[in-house]
């Protein structure tokens, strides 16, 4: 038997953690839409819960951004009580989002929660939607770093940025900037430059797949903190990432292969 299969008889209730994608309805997976159609309860951060249209028989529980663990516990309790619960995240629920918070809450929770059926339903994460819009900047090796220091020390963020440049990854930066941390992204750009990021192209992709979508590509040496906000995902290219000018529109891409002397 798979270690992932539950040995308990399934209760009536269930819990799904679903990603709603970057914004467009067409980028919600059929699997996530089906779970939402069967749900009695939707739980999540207010702007994400608002993306689920109200209907009779569906209770929408919206909470504040910083209440992830409390929200996860609430969702598990509802499922344990027999409700069909979907916790919603934007993008993919496993990328800087609620799936890990639900796992943490289950780990710390009472034994009775051991029988709650959990499914994590993937979604299209912001960096993949942004990458697809621009061309293929993540076509070779890449990493993703969350610039929010709510849940980790800033020194660790700086270290990861430096090492990512040194390893010549393309780097997707989530949560680049907020009103609470105006100086963080300026410092991140400085660290990337000091680490040798040079003139690598940087994609600023804002509100991808929504009516507010805006994409911009500049060199790292020209990038300024104001180019990003909390609705922006930033993709810093590797040393190989290039902009291909075409009459039909430029393409930002990272070639599939890299020569041996780059190491
Ligand atoms: N789970 C989400 C990420 C949550 S962190 C996902 O997989 O996409 C929130 C950050 O995601 C934002 O600060 C921004 O950096 C990025 N983001 C989410 N939606 C976006 C969109 N439509 N366009 C650009 N960036 C987005």
């Amino acid at each position: 038997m798979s270690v992932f299969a539950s040995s308990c008889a399934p209760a009536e209730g269930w819990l799904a953690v679903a990603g709603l994608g970057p914004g467009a309805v067409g980028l919600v997976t059929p699997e996530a839409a089906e779970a939402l159609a069967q749900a009695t309860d939707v739980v999540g951060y207010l702007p994400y819960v608002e993306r689920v249209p109200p209907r009779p028989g569906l209770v929408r529980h919206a909470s504040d951004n910083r209440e992830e663990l409390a929200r996860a516990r609430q969702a598990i309790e509802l499922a344990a009580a027999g409700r069909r619960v979907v916790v919603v995240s934007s993008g993919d629920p496993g990328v800087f989002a609620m799936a890990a918070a639900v796992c943490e809450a289950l780990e710390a929770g009472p034994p009775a929660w051991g029988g709650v059926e959990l499914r994590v339903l993937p979604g299209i994460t912001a960096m993949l939607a942004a990458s697809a819009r621009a061309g293929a900047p993540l076509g070779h090796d890449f990493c993703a770093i969350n610039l929010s220091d709510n849940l980790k020390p800033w020194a660790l963020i700086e270290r990861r940025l430096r090492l990512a440049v040194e390893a010549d990854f393309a780097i997707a930066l989530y949560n680049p900037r907020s009103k609470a941390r105006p100086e963080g992204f300026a410092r991140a750009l400085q660290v990337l430059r000091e680490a040798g990021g040079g003139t690598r192209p940087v994609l600023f992709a804002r509100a991808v797949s929504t009516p507010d979508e805006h994409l911009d590509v500049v060199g790292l040496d020209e990038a300024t903190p104001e180019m990003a906000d909390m609705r922006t995902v930033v993709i810093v290219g590797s040393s190989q990432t290039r902009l291909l000018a075409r009459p039909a529109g430029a393409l930002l891409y990272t070639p599939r292969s890299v020569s041996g002397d780059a190491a």
Side-chain angles (χ1 to χ4, degrees):
M1 189 182 79
S2 157
V3 291
F4 295 110
S6 168
S7 57
C8 305
E12 256 177 59
W14 48 253
L15 179 60
V17 191
L20 299 179
V25 172
L27 297 183
V28 179
T29 68
E31 185 182 49
E34 178 62 28
L36 288 167
Q38 293 173 358
T40 56
D41 299 77
V42 173
V43 176
Y45 176 39
L46 178 69
Y48 306 152
V49 167
E50 278 178 341
R51 284 172 57 184
V52 181
R55 61 168 165 79
L58 180 70
V59 185
R60 299 190 304 168
H61 309 261
S63 52
D64 190 71
N65 203 12
R66 301 210 170 203
E67 294 168 9
E68 283 195 349
L69 272 178
R71 184 191 302 148
R73 282 193 292 268
Q74 176 195 22
I76 298 164
E77 263 159 18
L78 285 166
R83 310 280 296 177
R84 300 187 298 276
V85 185
V86 179
V87 177
V88 285
S89 286
S90 73
D92 179 273
V95 178
F96 310 133
M98 284 303 294
V102 168
C103 292
E104 274 181 54
L106 284 172
E107 186 175 15
W113 287 358
V116 173
E117 182 193 330
L118 171 67
R119 289 175 298 152
V120 180
L121 310 179
I124 296 177
T125 187
M127 69 177 174
L128 299 187
S131 173
R133 279 286 192 274
L138 305 180
H140 199 77
D141 296 346
F142 65 89
C143 65
I145 300 176
N146 185 348
L147 288 190
S148 167
D149 61 357
N150 288 341
L151 301 169
K152 64 188 164 189
W154 180 258
L156 181 61
I157 295 176
E158 288 203 8
R159 178 157 183 262
R160 287 183 174 160
L161 289 170
R162 276 197 303 274
L163 292 172
V165 172
E166 191 184 318
D168 203 12
F169 286 120
I171 309 164
L173 302 173
Y174 283 74
N175 286 310
R177 201 150 178 262
S178 74
K179 290 205 180 81
R181 297 174 288 112
E183 68 298 332
F185 186 53
R187 177 75 192 125
L189 289 173
Q190 193 185 339
V191 170
L192 291 167
R193 287 186 194 111
E194 285 168 6
T199 56
R200 290 178 183 203
V202 182
L203 169 68
F204 289 88
R206 179 169 195 274
V208 176
S209 88
T210 79
D212 302 327
E213 175 175 301
H214 180 80
L215 267 67
D216 223 351
V217 179
V218 299
L220 178 58
D221 46 351
E222 304 156 323
T224 63
E226 298 72 36
M227 291 176 175
D229 65 7
M230 281 310 275
R231 296 184 74 192
T232 307
V233 67
V234 180
I235 298 181
V236 181
S238 75
S239 67
Q240 308 295 310
T241 306
R242 61 195 70 167
L243 199 59
L244 173 66
R246 299 169 72 237
L251 288 174
L252 180 70
Y253 85 104
T254 310
R256 298 271 292 121
S257 60
V258 64
S259 64
D261 53 8

